[in-house]
Amino acid sequence: MQANVRIATLDRRAAMATLLADRPANLFVVPGLGSCTWDAFAAGDDDRNFYLWGAMGGAAMIGLGLALAQPKLRVAVITGDGEMLMGLGSLGTVGMQKPANLAVVVFDNGHFGETGMQASHTSGAVDLCAVARGCGIERVMDVGDEAGLRELAGLLANSDRTLFARVRIAADDPPRVLPEKDGVAIKDRVRRAVAKAAGFTPA
Ligand SMILES: Cc1ncc(C[n+]2csc(CCOP(=O)(O)OP(=O)(O)O)c2C)c(N)n1
């Protein structure tokens, strides 16, 4: 069994930028609340980002719903280890449903960054890659370098099966850059983008 390697050095802003650099037109991103939402916005505001400001623990389920409802789209949930740990059971539901167009990516810094860098369970016993495998997700990646990030970016565009990736990022707290906060505006904007990308007229 692979060890739970805890060396985390990737820069979170650079990692997000690499993942989204050659983003195909049909790739939607659900960034988890807090740092991942700020990272996604910092990489370039985009109608296809469903920024979360709350719903801690819900990012993977929001992404699963979108992926199942819109099979022509690709969906990348990109969230923190604290957020993922709060909704850990959702990986079981992802493993049961297995949509090929869904990726769940965890930016794992081993800490709850937004609230003051308290250590999370991934600093200790919990190995999220092992959890994902145990939930039936077949393609699981443990990403710790630039080459791995680039491979992951390609798979966000074209993986033929559900993907889980842990990205080992450094526990730092870059300056916060905050996107739109109005939940209705965020929802309406992403719905229009979904309709455009999937080729239907929104209700
Ligand atoms: C239900 C709920 N509990 C707690 C919080 C407070 N909170 C906001 S972000 C966060 C930590 C997020 O940590 P993580 O997902 O690991 O992100 P990162 O370390 O990358 O910032 C917490 C505890 C919240 N928003 N909602």
Side-chain angles (χ1 to χ4, degrees):
M1 200 175 95
Q2 206 180 342
N4 183 15
V5 181
R6 296 195 183 86
I7 301 163
T9 55
L10 288 168
D11 175 81
R12 60 182 313 140
R13 290 279 157 84
M16 184 68 84
T18 298
L19 292 182
L20 301 183
D22 296 313
R23 180 174 179 174
N26 68 343
L27 179 58
F28 282 67
V29 175
V30 180
L33 85 167
S35 308
C36 287
T37 275
W38 306 326
D39 296 338
F41 183 63
D45 189 26
D46 197 296
D47 292 356
R48 298 163 297 167
N49 293 348
F50 188 43
Y51 300 118
L52 293 179
W53 282 99
M56 188 165 175
M61 288 294 86
I62 292 167
L64 176 65
L66 181 56
L68 291 174
Q70 299 296 337
K72 288 185 202 160
L73 305 185
R74 302 202 63 90
V75 179
V77 174
I78 306 180
T79 192
D81 48 289
E83 203 279 340
M84 188 75 254
L85 286 161
M86 189 169 273
L88 207 57
S90 63
L91 288 180
T93 306
V94 169
M96 291 293 291
Q97 295 286 336
K98 288 188 176 61
N101 59 335
L102 176 66
V104 178
V105 177
V106 175
F107 274 15
D108 186 0
N109 58 8
H111 292 80
F112 296 92
E114 181 180 347
T115 48
M117 275 314 164
Q118 301 88 353
S120 84
H121 295 344
T122 65
S123 280
V126 177
D127 176 346
L128 290 174
C129 290
V131 173
R133 273 188 215 100
C135 286
I137 299 173
E138 291 158 16
R139 177 165 278 156
V140 174
M141 298 172 70
D142 192 357
V143 176
D145 59 20
E146 193 59 33
L149 277 174
R150 280 197 296 273
E151 184 188 355
L152 174 57
L155 287 167
L156 296 184
N158 64 24
S159 178
D160 62 356
R161 67 193 78 167
T162 311
L163 167 67
F164 177 90
R166 174 174 77 143
V167 176
R168 284 183 262 133
I169 57 158
D172 58 10
D173 190 14
R176 297 177 181 188
V177 279
L178 310 182
E180 171 67 61
K181 281 188 182 158
D182 181 333
V184 174
I186 295 169
K187 180 263 293 175
D188 286 347
R189 186 173 85 147
V190 86
R191 283 189 79 220
R192 284 192 297 273
V194 167
K196 188 173 165 204
F200 66 87
T201 309

